Amino acid sequence: MDIYICVGSACHLKGSYEVIKKFQKIIENNPNCQITLKSSFCLGECSDLVSVKINDKIFSVSPESAEDFMKNIISN
Amino acid sequence: MRKFENQVQLVKYEVLKKVSEYAFDGRLYESIIDIPKIVNEGPNPRFRCCVYHERAITEERIQMALGGNKSNPNLVEVLDSACDQCPTNRFTITESCRGCLSHRCVSSCPKEAIYIRNQKAHIDYSKCIECGKCKEECPYNSIIDTMRPCQRACPTNAISINKMKKATISKEDCIQCGSCVYQCPFGAIQDKSEIVEVIKELNESKTNIYAVLAPSFSTQFNYLELEKVVKGLKILGFKDVIEVSLGADLVTIWETEEFKSHIEEHKYMTTSCCPSFVNYVKKKFFDEKNNISTTVSPMIAISQIIKKMDETSKVVFIGPCIAKKGEKNSVDVKGITDYVLTFEELAAMLDSKKINLENITSSPLNNATETGRGYAASGGVTKAIESYIKMQNIDVDFKPVVCSGIKEAKKALTIAKIGKLDGNFIEGMACEGGCIKGPVTMHYGNKDKKSLDKYSKLAKEKDPKSATEVFNTDNIIKYSSL
């Protein structure tokens, strides 16, 4: 599964690089999960938190909620 | 408020704006015939002898807006109908000639081209070789040099006057710096535009179009919050706006690494981010071209990153530079950056869509570092590499020579060629002052550097490594055939 994280200016200012790092860490700790992280420019939801796109659905994630969000994805 | 430095920029803008308006409306080819009459309404002329002359010039400007003569590889062309006002003889004896007794002008002339009639000096232009000795000798400064501004501006002597007394540009010698475009007081030399193609993409393309914005935009829109320009571009139809400076951050990393290994076998390396400087080295210092960095420019770097993330997208560079229009078509990198627009063209597009930047919301622009943004001024690349070496604790002897403008570059390269350069790194920028003094901007000001510095300081990221680590830089293309 591909997960796209917006690294455009608005999301970058809200901490998208940190979100990516937190995602990476969790993926490293779960070597069996089939997830590829990809960065993307504007996903069109600039007013919310950091935009994360999974299967054409956009989620709003903050650096604080990133770990729980990813753990949730993996466990499902 | 948008301001234009002078009427040359204004008349170019007027034509570009009208072309842009019709192109956005999808009726360019039906309505193009009306543009000269709209721009030069008449009945009285504004600048020239008559309104018909002005319309003829406007027609030529329209041709340039449509891309100019495709069979001419030069990025700038002389508009024949606009080029007609310069004196063709270089030296002129003015009325302040006192008719003195010493006649130093006569004795200094190696061709006996100066004669005295009615106690005043005169030049026989059939003999004059334009050496300028008479001008140097006259005790009253009565002899003036009226060399054409385009010829004076050209750093490679690429401009000559043809038998129709019009300026012509040598394809072999032109390095596409655009000095003549900016210096011609009649706006008779103009750059070829891709504005119509970009608008067609924005109107019709099903793929994403990204704008990559050069940091010197901070000098052009300093009358408003810069983020409004980003929003304006999004309203025009660009999917996202990305800083070219983020590409500069990558260049800082790559060029530092390249420098470290290059210098083990060579005496010096030059920058490669200014395409006009690269053209200059290739055309005038051919034997030195192996010392040009093979790292691509920030424009090509950021375009590659975008295309890796969005394969079918198109990338439009927007900046102050004419030479970039040629760089994007050079052998190794063709097709990576799809189009190049200038700030003049951007202003025309925004205004043709009636987007008033002052009345819209803003959209942030913040990915690159302060030093990446600093590339737009002379000394910027050097500063970025210096700070990166320090930050990463890299063990290398970095001795930069900063060349602002071709004159300084010529000096440094001449010395480097004989192995006597006091340094091992040449930063070359064709425009004096760097990109913020590029030829196709709307205006210059003595506060340009301040505007850039202010914008640079707003950067969130401090280290080029952390600014770029989330991007995939595998298999990035470098220059092989410089």
Side-chain angles (χ1 to χ4, degrees):
Chain A
M1 182 169 64
D2 291 341
I3 296 184
Y4 294 87
I5 302 106
C6 178
V7 290
S9 290
C11 287
H12 170 236
L13 290 174
K14 291 174 205 153
S16 65
Y17 291 14
E18 286 166 64
V19 170
I20 293 177
K21 279 181 200 159
K22 290 194 171 164
F23 282 3
Q24 272 167 345
K25 218 171 185 180
I26 295 167
I27 291 172
E28 278 163 22
N29 293 337
N30 291 277
N32 292 331
C33 78
Q34 300 282 316
I35 291 176
T36 313
L37 294 182
K38 291 187 171 175
S39 36
S40 164
F41 283 113
C42 193
L43 294 168
E45 300 283 339
C46 306
S47 54
D48 291 328
L49 300 168
V50 176
S51 297
V52 173
K53 189 171 89 174
I54 304 169
N55 295 333
D56 283 330
K57 253 182 100 177
I58 300 199
F59 300 88
S60 196
V61 182
S62 71
E64 293 73 34
S65 65
E67 275 175 41
D68 290 343
F69 178 85
M70 190 45 119
K71 280 178 187 160
N72 210 0
I73 299 276
I74 290 176
S75 58
N76 288 328
Chain B
M1 266 294 285
R2 169 159 307 126
K3 54 180 183 195
F4 291 94
E5 182 171 315
N6 58 48
Q7 285 167 331
V8 172
Q9 276 102 332
L10 181 70
V11 292
K12 272 175 85 178
Y13 157 85
E14 286 174 342
V15 176
L16 286 167
K17 186 178 152 195
K18 213 67 212 168
V19 168
S20 171
E21 182 189 323
Y22 289 164
F24 271 121
D25 288 351
R27 59 180 175 119
L28 180 62
Y29 292 97
E30 300 94 283
S31 307
I32 204 162
I33 199 163
D34 304 330
I35 294 177
K37 280 188 182 167
I38 295 170
V39 173
N40 310 101
E41 203 180 359
N44 297 319
R46 289 188 295 170
F47 317 111
R48 301 277 183 160
C49 54
C50 67
V51 75
Y52 303 104
H53 188 182
E54 290 183 342
R55 286 178 190 163
I57 296 168
T58 297
E59 276 172 24
E60 288 205 60
R61 293 200 199 284
I62 295 169
Q63 285 308 315
M64 295 306 283
L66 298 177
N69 177 1
K70 298 270 193 314
S71 64
N72 178 352
N74 263 1
L75 304 170
V76 297
E77 286 180 29
V78 178
L79 312 183
D80 275 350
S81 58
C83 174
D84 68 351
Q85 300 281 348
C86 286
T88 48
N89 296 315
R90 183 165 167 187
F91 291 96
T92 309
I93 298 176
T94 62
E95 286 189 354
S96 56
C97 169
R98 305 275 309 238
C100 68
L101 302 185
S102 67
H103 295 167
R104 290 199 177 131
C105 52
V106 176
S107 53
S108 68
C109 179
K111 292 290 173 189
E112 295 180 0
I114 300 187
Y115 58 94
I116 309 292
R117 182 175 291 159
N118 297 332
Q119 295 183 355
K120 299 269 179 178
H122 297 268
I123 300 174
D124 176 351
Y125 289 110
S126 66
K127 291 180 183 166
C128 175
I129 55 165
E130 302 187 340
C131 68
K133 290 216 164 71
C134 55
K135 179 183 179 288
E136 283 165 31
E137 289 296 320
C138 175
Y140 293 106
N141 290 328
S142 301
I143 301 174
I144 54 165
D145 182 350
T146 48
M147 185 184 207
R148 289 193 180 199
C150 56
Q151 286 184 294
R152 195 194 300 272
C154 181
T156 57
N157 296 326
I159 300 181
S160 56
I161 309 302
N162 68 13
K163 62 176 192 250
M164 303 297 287
K165 310 223 165 177
K166 310 274 184 197
T168 51
I169 304 169
S170 147
K171 296 190 234 343
E172 288 71 34
D173 292 322
C174 178
I175 56 168
Q176 324 290 352
C177 69
S179 302
C180 54
V181 173
Y182 175 59
Q183 289 297 342
C184 173
F186 283 89
I189 305 181
Q190 196 168 323
D191 49 309
K192 293 172 175 167
S193 181
E194 296 181 320
I195 194 169
V196 176
E197 282 145 290
V198 172
I199 292 171
K200 197 163 182 263
E201 293 278 9
L202 289 170
N203 273 354
E204 297 170 12
S205 177
K206 300 216 164 29
T207 60
N208 294 327
I209 323 258
Y210 292 92
V212 294
L213 195 53
S216 40
F217 91 103
S218 56
T219 68
Q220 298 298 302
F221 298 92
N222 54 7
Y223 58 94
L224 46 78
E225 199 191 329
L226 290 173
E227 282 83 1
K228 287 177 185 282
V229 182
V230 178
K231 184 71 186 178
L233 282 162
K234 288 189 175 177
I235 297 173
L236 278 178
F238 290 97
K239 164 82 176 161
D240 202 354
V241 183
I242 296 128
E243 291 183 84
V244 175
S245 303
L246 189 60
D249 285 328
L250 289 166
V251 171
T252 301
I253 300 170
W254 298 336
E255 206 153 282
T256 307
E257 285 162 6
E258 184 186 2
F259 173 76
K260 199 168 184 272
S261 63
H262 183 93
I263 216 69
E264 284 168 11
E265 288 172 26
H266 302 82
K267 286 193 159 173
Y268 74 101
M269 188 177 95
T270 81
T271 53
S272 61
C273 47
C274 170
S276 198
F277 169 77
V278 171
N279 290 341
Y280 180 70
V281 180
K282 286 199 283 192
K283 289 190 173 184
K284 300 294 173 184
F285 287 88
F286 186 77
D287 297 339
E288 301 302 299
K289 72 180 175 69
N290 291 336
N291 289 315
I292 305 173
S293 163
T294 58
T295 299
V296 292
S297 71
M299 170 181 88
I300 300 294
I302 192 62
S303 303
Q304 289 193 66
I305 296 295
I306 294 171
K307 294 249 164 122
K308 272 177 182 292
M309 290 158 69
D310 192 346
E311 279 170 26
T312 57
S313 67
K314 296 271 165 72
V315 179
V316 182
F317 171 92
I318 305 171
C321 184
I322 292 173
K324 289 275 174 208
K325 297 185 185 202
E327 181 197 347
K328 77 172 168 62
N329 292 330
S330 56
V331 187
D332 295 315
V333 298
K334 197 172 166 56
I336 293 175
T337 307
D338 297 279
Y339 303 99
V340 168
L341 291 180
T342 66
F343 292 136
E344 290 174 334
E345 290 157 353
L346 170 60
M349 284 168 71
L350 289 166
D351 292 358
S352 73
K353 287 286 269 186
K354 299 193 171 58
I355 299 169
N356 184 350
L357 293 180
E358 279 154 283
N359 296 339
I360 61 174
T361 57
S362 56
S363 180
L365 185 70
N366 207 327
N367 273 102
T369 66
E370 180 178 344
T371 58
R373 291 176 172 187
Y375 266 56
S378 175
V381 185
T382 297
K383 212 168 153 191
I385 293 181
E386 256 165 4
S387 108
Y388 184 68
I389 288 173
K390 226 171 166 183
M391 221 176 262
Q392 300 288 328
N393 250 328
I394 298 168
D395 179 27
V396 64
D397 180 29
F398 181 66
K399 282 161 66 187
V401 177
V402 175
C403 302
S404 175
I406 291 296
K407 229 186 246 167
E408 289 183 15
K410 183 181 182 181
K411 202 171 139 196
L413 288 162
T414 308
I415 301 170
K417 197 176 171 182
I418 54 167
K420 301 260 165 129
L421 186 75
D422 185 20
N424 56 16
F425 181 82
I426 296 178
E427 180 196 299
M429 293 269 211
C431 294
E432 282 176 33
C435 313
I436 51 172
K437 301 291 179 189
V440 274
T441 52
M442 291 164 283
H443 58 83
Y444 300 98
N446 43 19
K447 293 192 183 124
D448 285 352
K449 181 70 171 46
K450 265 191 192 153
S451 302
L452 176 70
D453 288 346
K454 192 176 150 200
Y455 163 66
S456 300
K457 289 212 162 64
L458 297 172
K460 182 186 177 191
E461 294 292 337
K462 300 289 168 234
D463 176 352
K465 268 242 154 90
S466 60
T468 57
E469 65 188 353
V470 300
F471 298 99
N472 174 8
T473 55
D474 299 342
N475 305 319
I476 219 89
I477 290 166
K478 290 195 163 194
Y479 283 118
S480 63
S481 53
L482 273 170

